[in-house]
Amino acid sequence: MPDHPSQETRGYLKTLSEQLNWCPEGNFSLKMVVFVVVELVLVPLAMCKLPLFKCPIRDPLPILHKYYKSGDLLIAGIMSQIYMAINPITFEKPPSEELFDDLFYFDPSRTYLASMKLLSTQGKLVPNYRSGTQNHPVAVFIGPNWHVCLYAAAILYVFKIPQISYGSAPNRDSKAQSVFFHHTFPNQAHQTMGILRMLLYFRWTWIGVISLSDETGESFLKDIVPLLSQNGICFDFIAMMPAISFSSELFQGITAGVETYKVIMGSTAKVLVLNGEIETMIVLRCFLRLPEVEDIAIKATGKIWIMTAQMDFTSLPFQRDWDISFIHGSISFASHSMELSGFRKFLQEKSLHSEKGDGFIRDFWQQAFLCSFSDSAVEEKNGEICTGEEKLQALPASVFETTTTANSYSIYNGVYAVAHALQAMESSRLKSAATAHGGRWNHVDQDWWQLHHFLRSVFFNNSAGESISFDQSGEVVTKFDIVNWVTFPNQSFIRVKVGKIDSKAPQDKMLIVHDNDIVWPTMFNQVQPLSVCNEKCPAGYRKRKKEGKPFCCYDCLACPLGKISNEIDMNECSQCLEGQYPNKDQTLCLPKETSFLSYGETLGISLATVALSFSFITALVLGIFIKHQDTPLVKANNRDLTYTLLTSLLLSFISALLFIGEPKKMTCLLRQTAFGIIFSVAVSCVLAKTVIVVLAFMATKPGSRMRRFVGKKLSNSIVLACSLVQAAICTVWLATSPPFPALDMNSMTDKILIECNEGSVTMFYCVLGFLGFLALISFTVAFFARKLPDSFNEAKFITFSMLVFCSVWVSFVPTYLSTKGKSMVAVEIFSILASSAGLLGCIFSPKCYIILLRPELNRRGYLIKTKN
């Protein structure tokens, strides 16, 4: 044999050594460790680095825990139930049981070995060789880890042996392997959808996700991350938990574990989705105790763990007394199960002597009851001797469960499925006149790959009354249970079923949860916790995304004026419909009330009362002047102009009533035009009076030609001309763009204004402008005539009246433009009343005073005297 093997040989041996834990080359180092338990400290004891071919190739390490019972038909099982460690390999002696020392993690080479053992003669490792007295298994149960399924299938599918997995299964790209694979675990896509449904049901939109850094973990994240994101759920963090295969990897993961712990416990997310395998609980328990052995300032905070169905409660011996309250209130998915009649009693009556050849129960007994047998090295450490009379029912659930777990139920259904498939296969063969030997099959010569067809079509009711069948892809037709974990101080726990995920149900009924049955973690005081990035935006607010944060994180901004949001977490506020307005909190739209200046409100009543009062006073003054029409004072003031002015003032006060009440078509047409024409008559009368006074004074001068202009003809011409001009403006207004009643929806937030639209604002201001023009001329003429002799000094009163008139209407314009609705109407009414009252009071109150109270002054001699 050459001293140095070829490159191909070296590569092959290196691969083999990795699988069988050997150190075949001097330049290849493989660390092999065992550990002693002192809290969480794992102490490496040795490693090997030995020259090639120092020892001959022998049988691999033996399988310690195995069980065999002969029969006509064999059903095998490759199951990962415990964790083994081995002492350092020195290659100085053949592998033996002395290499095994203590609990250890999963080693894929053991699965390959177990698979080849199933295909060998009992007690020998000679694959694909069988003696005439030993049959190959008709089916093999594998689980509960995905890697057990993966590695076992790599061997078993070559021989077309049916495989039935009762735990998580790997993603299979090989259709050839899938043909021989059956799964009593529900489709994991349904579990992913169930997680989404549950998060949405409890409105948990801010979560953390923890998954294993292996093939299934990556597949889980690939499926769930986009699914949750598309449905409004975002992630505070996504952490990967290392998949530990060797005890030495625990040391390598401590540093990463500390950082991951800080991320998880420092997270504001209250809900954590944990995807793992059956052994993940062991790692999780160690993970949560990191602050006790590492300097971590962040302590464990209240979290709700949502665990996938692949996980289960598992632990190592040194974790026996560790607190399990961290899972109190947690929620997990589980493959659907029912309590099997007699199963609990079967487990509780299990003893050391129940089955001969059971290589597992002896080690389990020592670990479970903390005792040792007289021939065991464990005796030195524990001190107590196992009597075999210990009772399994006395163990807490954290050590041994006697209920029908999901895995137990799946295996039970799988075994019966194989039995029913075998029965169907036998019936089919008999019907086909298959050869029978003494009423028995020739089991050695059977082609068991044909069993696949019958497994896919099997259908039966189990002892729990449930129907069991497989679909065409080899997956059992079942659902997921939703389990709530409740722990007790004595290290026991119960799994309470609080709901289910039924993939066959309609989407809105896929998830069923019994809220009242759920026990929440203690720190939440039995109140369903919230897990959101921030509080939801209440009605009346809208969301605004925070820069650099996930879409679940946002600020809440109040809706703009005129808009509402009537639901929580609205992206945008909506505009109320026309005729509606937002309430104070901007949470709903209210119908707007119509608004106009009516006779039923205080303001309307007050203005109407004032208008009628001034109308009465004006009528009274007119009556006084008519009664005393023959007196010198009345005659001297041009009776026709006085009567016309008083009549126009009376109509002005009455015209103010057209502005009160709901606007109608006729009132809208009349009120501005009537006001404009009537006021034009009144102001033109004042102008005529002023002109006549001036001309009368000028006519008193000797030789003045102004005498011929003094008289009724001039005054009537002034009044008529001014009135006709205003009437023409109003006629053009009504002909081109007349006022009309309209609804103003926008000027006021909470009211619909019923108002008269002026039609043409230009024409409206033309009317006002002409009135202003007349008032300005009257004021100017009266101002220059204010120094006439006292007997003719009516110009002083006209000047003051025009000053009041102009002040009122100059103030009217900006006030009118700055108000809306009934206030705007009230401003115009007030201006009409105030200006009219100014004319009435300033011009006629002195005359009424003389007529009624100083009649001695109402004589011709007094009126014609001049000032000395």
Side-chain angles (χ1 to χ4, degrees), residues 6-232:
S6 67
Q7 186 66 30
E8 293 182 358
T9 304
R10 288 163 60 90
Y12 171 78
L13 292 175
K14 180 176 179 179
T15 302
L16 181 61
S17 70
E18 290 174 345
Q19 295 298 319
L20 299 180
N21 292 334
W22 280 32
C23 296
E25 294 189 81
N27 60 352
F28 174 70
S29 175
L30 177 65
K31 296 182 180 179
M32 300 306 303
V33 302
V34 295
F35 55 87
V36 207
V37 177
V38 182
E39 289 295 326
L40 287 180
V41 181
L42 305 180
V43 183
L45 299 183
M47 65 176 65
C48 68
K49 186 176 183 181
L50 301 174
L52 184 63
F53 304 134
K54 184 174 181 179
C55 58
I57 297 178
R58 301 289 297 271
D59 287 343
L61 298 177
I63 298 177
L64 293 183
H65 302 102
K66 54 189 177 182
Y67 175 77
Y68 174 80
K69 188 173 183 179
S70 61
D72 294 332
L73 300 174
L74 298 181
I75 296 179
I78 302 175
M79 303 175 181
S80 175
Q81 298 291 343
I82 62 174
Y83 303 100
M84 298 299 300
I86 58 174
N87 285 317
I89 301 176
T90 63
F91 291 89
E92 294 178 351
K93 58 182 178 180
S96 67
E97 296 184 11
E98 295 177 2
L99 291 175
F100 295 100
D101 181 65
D102 205 344
L103 297 182
F104 189 49
Y105 290 91
F106 174 76
D107 178 5
S109 67
R110 312 303 294 168
T111 303
Y112 287 137
L113 177 61
S115 303
M116 290 187 290
K117 282 277 191 180
L118 290 178
L119 303 172
S120 304
T121 300
Q122 182 67 20
K124 298 291 183 179
L125 181 58
V126 186
N128 204 28
Y129 171 77
R130 51 184 176 175
S131 66
T133 60
Q134 182 179 351
N135 301 326
H136 278 178
V138 297
V140 179
F141 283 78
I142 49 180
N145 311 74
W146 69 269
H147 36 57
V148 173
C149 303
L150 179 67
Y151 299 131
I155 302 295
L156 298 177
Y157 97 96
V158 176
F159 298 91
K160 301 180 181 180
I161 297 178
Q163 306 144 52
I164 302 172
S165 167
Y166 64 91
S168 62
N171 297 323
R172 294 185 175 277
D173 297 327
S174 171
K175 292 184 178 180
Q177 291 189 20
S178 300
V179 171
F180 306 105
F181 192 82
H182 299 77
H183 205 187
T184 59
F185 190 88
N187 191 309
Q188 296 186 39
H190 300 158
Q191 177 175 242
T192 305
M193 184 59 67
I195 293 174
L196 168 64
R197 293 291 176 187
M198 186 167 65
L199 293 174
L200 294 177
Y201 179 84
F202 289 114
R203 299 184 295 278
W204 292 330
T205 58
W206 183 241
I207 66 169
V209 176
I210 310 167
S211 186
L212 292 178
S213 56
D214 57 17
E215 177 186 331
T216 57
E218 293 173 358
S219 176
F220 174 79
L221 293 178
K222 182 180 178 181
D223 293 338
I224 201 168
V225 170
L227 178 65
L228 298 188
S229 298
Q230 292 165 10
N231 287 273

Side-chain angles (χ1 to χ4, degrees), residues 8-9 27 85 98 198 200 266 387 389 395 415 444 449 522 525 530 633 643 648 718 766 803 849:
E8 293 182 358
T9 304
N27 60 352
E98 295 177 2
M198 186 167 65
L200 294 177
T387 64
E389 301 300 325
L395 294 173
V415 170
V444 176
W449 61 268
T522 307
N525 297 320
L530 292 175
L633 182 63
Y643 295 158
S648 63
I718 292 174
C766 285
L803 182 61
Y849 173 76

Side-chain angles (χ1 to χ4, degrees), residues 462-678:
N462 63 14
S463 62
E466 292 195 315
S467 299
I468 306 299
S469 62
F470 293 93
D471 60 21
Q472 290 306 307
S473 62
E475 293 180 341
V476 71
V477 180
T478 186
K479 48 185 173 285
F480 283 99
D481 290 329
I482 299 176
V483 175
N484 184 212
W485 295 67
V486 181
T487 64
F488 302 98
N490 65 349
Q491 294 294 85
S492 290
F493 62 82
I494 57 173
R495 310 175 199 231
V496 181
K497 293 181 182 178
V498 294
K500 64 180 180 179
I501 296 290
D502 189 354
S503 60
K504 302 283 185 191
Q507 287 290 326
D508 58 338
K509 296 181 180 179
M510 179 180 178
L511 171 70
I512 298 177
V513 177
H514 307 295
D515 301 44
N516 296 332
D517 295 338
I518 297 178
V519 175
W520 299 109
T522 307
M523 67 286 298
F524 296 113
N525 297 320
Q526 201 46 33
V527 175
Q528 178 191 322
L530 292 175
S531 187
V532 293
C533 182
N534 47 259
E535 294 295 329
K536 293 183 179 294
C537 291
Y541 289 78
R542 65 179 178 88
K543 298 190 297 184
R544 185 180 70 177
K545 186 180 181 301
K546 291 182 179 179
E547 292 297 329
K549 295 288 186 178
F551 64 85
C552 291
C553 303
Y554 46 81
D555 295 317
C556 296
L557 301 181
C559 287
L561 290 177
K563 293 187 176 184
I564 68 158
S565 63
N566 54 6
E567 297 179 5
I568 61 174
D569 270 358
M570 295 289 287
N571 290 318
E572 296 293 339
C573 299
S574 57
Q575 191 80 38
C576 286
L577 297 176
E578 192 174 30
Q580 297 180 334
Y581 73 100
N583 64 345
K584 181 179 179 181
D585 297 327
Q586 294 181 273
T587 57
L588 55 90
C589 291
L590 302 175
K592 289 185 177 182
E593 297 179 354
T594 56
S595 175
F596 56 88
L597 186 61
S598 69
Y599 291 104
E601 56 185 301
T602 303
L603 181 59
I605 294 173
S606 300
L607 292 174
T609 302
V610 173
L612 292 174
S613 299
F614 279 112
S615 298
F616 175 76
I617 294 172
T618 305
L620 186 61
V621 172
L622 179 60
I624 291 172
F625 270 71
I626 292 174
K627 183 179 179 180
H628 297 87
Q629 61 181 338
D630 295 327
T631 62
L633 182 63
V634 176
K635 289 181 178 180
N637 280 275
N638 193 331
R639 285 180 297 185
D640 292 341
L641 276 180
T642 300
Y643 295 158
T644 303
L645 177 57
L646 286 172
T647 302
S648 63
L649 290 177
L650 175 63
L651 293 176
S652 294
F653 288 124
I654 294 175
S655 70
L657 299 177
L658 292 173
F659 292 84
I660 304 175
E662 182 177 354
K664 302 293 184 181
K665 182 177 181 179
M666 187 57 64
T667 57
C668 287
L669 289 173
L670 289 177
R671 64 186 191 180
Q672 296 292 4
T673 55
F675 149 73
I677 294 174
I678 292 170

Side-chain angles (χ1 to χ4, degrees), residues 375-394:
D375 58 346
S376 172
V378 183
E379 179 182 1
E380 301 176 3
K381 293 187 285 186
N382 297 332
E384 294 186 8
I385 302 299
C386 299
T387 64
E389 301 300 325
E390 293 83 3
K391 300 298 182 182
L392 290 174
Q393 59 263 38

Side-chain angles (χ1 to χ4, degrees), residues 675 679 768 805-813 828 831-832 835:
F675 149 73
F679 252 64
L768 292 181
F805 185 92
C806 292
S807 298
V808 169
W809 287 103
V810 168
S811 301
F812 162 79
V813 174
E828 187 168 2
S831 299
I832 293 172
S835 57

